């Protein structure tokens, strides 16, 4: 089976995903009359812990909002389940008082600055208001990423640290519990579609297609099924309709000619988020809750790509114009009584945080 790279993107295959045949298959269906493709073999049970109470914080002079850690995952073997045990504890000085965007990912390419690195998002969550929290997240389908030597990045969009009256940041623990076995669907490749990015919403000068342009992806040969796995959360408040944190909108992936639609909204915060918080943690929001992990939107696209060697994937959001923005022809609709200028507090630009990968199975 021959590996084909995605156009303009890194493709990550598992150790068993593909091999280059030494000779064309003969009539027996094996290369040069030798044995056929190797059967998957269960790996040994193991636990990999790249972050163990890693302190994530910001003091101005000391910026530890991004912390990278090396990790060694089993290079061989298959796993019937991989569970990410993710937790936050409070450092001396207390937890950050605010709900913050947070993410765990793998650094796959270095840029000039950490902000310019290429990072594939494994998990996304929002910190709770000032209390500890813990979540168990199934990442079995990401086994092709979790193999060999990798760099695991913890990021929290915090702006407090030691000495702040609003808390000293967070202590992050990320531990991967891997159970040897063969999953019902064996993931063999993870193909990046969009790494995590901010997609402005409601500004005619910043179209969604400009921030997240359509991608042409080359599919690996020999795979039998495919799925998109994506994170979408809405942020920004005080705008028309209080978008994008507090407005529900329909999002669409178009795979080839087939659209897949979903309203990005989370209305179960009062029963699923970390209890005992301060603040507005019970309010519904666009795809997230304070003190909860963000659930990925997973779409089976096998039928959409049947018989194809490549696929075009496009992303869109239903039409909306934010009339409460600095350059609006007529300033109106500001939901929190502010002016149209963004102030970094009660009025911030509406945006969606997007990241997407395509998973191939055998």
């Amino acid at each position: 089976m021959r590996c084909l790279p995605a156009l303009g993107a890194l493709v990550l295959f598992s150790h068993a995903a593909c091999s280059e045949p030494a000779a064309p298959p003969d009539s027996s269906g094996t290369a040069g009359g030798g044995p056929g493709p190797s059967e998957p073999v269960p790996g040994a049970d193991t636990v990999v812990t790249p972050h163990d109470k890693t302190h994530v914080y910001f003091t101005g002079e000391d910026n530890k909002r991004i912390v990278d850690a090396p990790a060694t995952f089993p290079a061989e073997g298959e796993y019937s389940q991989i569970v990410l045990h993710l937790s936050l504890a409070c450092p001396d000085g207390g937890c950050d008082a605010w709900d913050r965007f947070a993410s765990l990912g793998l650094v796959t390419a270095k840029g000039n600055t950490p902000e310019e690195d290429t990072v594939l998002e494994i998990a996304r969550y929002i910190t709770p208001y000032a209390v500890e929290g813990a979540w168990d997240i199934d990442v079995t389908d990401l086994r092709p990423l979790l193999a060999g030597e990798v760099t695991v990045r913890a990021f929290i969009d915090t702006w407090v640290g030691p000495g702040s009256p609003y808390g000293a940041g967070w202590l992050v623990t990320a531990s991967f519990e891997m159970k040897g076995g063969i999953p019902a669907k064996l993931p063999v490749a993870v193909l990046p579609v969009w790494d995590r990015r901010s997609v402005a919403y409601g500004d005619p000068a910043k179209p969604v297609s400009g921030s997240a342009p359509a991608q042409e992806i080359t599919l690996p040969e020999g795979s039998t099924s495919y799925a998109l796995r994506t994170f979408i959360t809405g942020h920004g408040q005080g705008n028309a309709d209080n978008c994008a944190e507090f407005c529900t909108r329909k999002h669409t992936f178009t795979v080839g000619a087939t659209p897949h639609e979903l309203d990005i909204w989370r209305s179960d915060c009062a029963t699923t988020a970390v209890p005992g918080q301060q603040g507005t943690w019970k309010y519904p929001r666009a795809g997230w809750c304070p003190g909860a992990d963000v659930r990925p939107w997973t779409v089976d696209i096998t039928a959409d790509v049947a018989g194809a060697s490549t696929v075009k994937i496009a992303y869109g959001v239903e039409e909306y114009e934010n009339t409460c923005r600095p350059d609006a022809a007529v300033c109106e609709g500001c939901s929190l009584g502010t002016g149209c200028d963004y102030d970094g507090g009660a009025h911030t630009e509406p945006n969606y945080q997007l990241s997407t990968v395509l998973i191939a199975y055998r």
Side-chain angles (χ1 to χ4, degrees):
M1 179 168 60
R2 182 164 55 91
C3 295
L4 298 179
L7 298 183
L10 172 70
V11 183
L12 296 174
F13 293 90
S14 73
H15 63 277
C18 56
S19 59
E20 196 69 29
D26 63 11
S27 59
S28 69
T30 62
S38 60
E39 290 300 314
V41 176
D45 291 357
T46 189
V47 176
V48 180
T49 305
H51 288 281
D52 186 4
K53 294 188 176 179
T54 297
H55 194 182
V56 180
Y57 63 92
F58 178 82
T59 65
E61 295 180 356
D62 192 8
N63 183 352
K64 292 294 190 298
R65 289 159 29 93
I66 293 173
V67 182
D68 292 342
T72 302
F73 287 89
E76 301 294 331
E78 305 300 345
Y79 290 86
S80 59
Q81 187 177 49
I82 305 175
V83 177
L84 166 60
H85 302 294
L86 182 63
S87 66
L88 296 175
C90 297
D92 292 340
C95 288
D96 188 339
W98 296 96
D99 57 332
R100 308 289 192 180
F101 180 99
S103 179
L104 194 79
L106 296 185
V107 180
T108 58
K110 297 294 291 182
N112 294 324
T113 67
E115 290 75 17
E116 295 175 340
D117 293 345
T118 300
V119 181
L120 294 187
E121 194 169 28
I122 296 173
R124 182 181 297 184
Y125 61 105
I126 309 297
T127 68
Y129 289 94
V131 297
E132 300 181 349
W135 310 273
D136 294 332
I137 304 169
D138 192 310
V139 293
T140 307
D141 287 354
L142 302 184
R143 164 60 174 153
L145 300 178
L146 306 174
E149 303 290 332
V150 301
T151 298
V152 180
R153 171 166 294 181
F155 167 72
I156 299 179
D157 189 24
T158 184
W159 297 99
V160 302
S164 170
Y166 302 106
W170 300 98
L171 300 179
V172 179
T173 296
S175 184
F176 296 83
E177 182 180 2
M178 306 177 71
K179 181 177 178 57
I182 311 303
K185 292 174 62 177
L186 182 66
V188 295
V190 176
L191 296 80
V193 182
W194 295 284
D195 57 4
R196 185 170 64 81
R197 62 195 57 207
S198 180
V199 179
Y201 186 49
D203 187 341
K206 301 176 182 178
V208 169
S209 60
S211 299
Q215 301 292 308
E216 187 84 15
I217 303 296
T218 300
L219 302 173
E221 292 181 356
S223 299
T224 59
S225 61
Y226 302 90
L228 289 181
R229 181 180 188 267
T230 191
F231 293 107
I232 303 173
T233 51
H235 306 271
Q237 62 179 349
N239 304 289
D241 297 334
N242 214 3
C243 284
E245 180 174 338
F246 296 104
C247 67
T248 178
R249 290 292 187 270
K250 190 178 299 296
H251 296 245
T252 303
F253 285 114
T254 303
V255 182
T258 305
H260 299 271
E261 297 181 339
L262 182 71
D263 287 328
I264 298 299
W265 192 243
R266 186 83 175 261
S267 58
D268 62 350
C269 298
T271 57
T272 63
V274 174
Q277 300 182 54
Q278 305 170 23
T280 60
W281 63 278
K282 295 183 179 181
Y283 291 7
R285 287 172 165 87
W288 60 275
C289 304
D293 60 310
V294 175
R295 299 164 181 167
W297 175 19
T298 302
V299 181
D300 189 320
I301 61 168
T302 305
D304 306 339
V305 302
S309 59
T310 64
V311 60
K312 184 177 181 181
I313 302 173
Y315 166 72
V317 190
E318 68 179 84
E319 290 295 322
Y320 159 77
E321 181 174 351
N322 178 26
T323 54
C324 180
R325 67 178 197 277
D327 63 346
V330 177
C331 178
E332 59 184 7
C334 299
S335 58
L336 298 181
T338 66
C340 271
D341 288 338
Y342 298 129
D343 60 17
H347 186 205
T348 52
E349 184 177 32
N351 70 92
Y352 290 101
Q353 295 293 313
L354 167 74
S355 74
T356 306
V357 296
L358 188 154
I359 304 173
Y361 303 89
R362 168 173 98 179

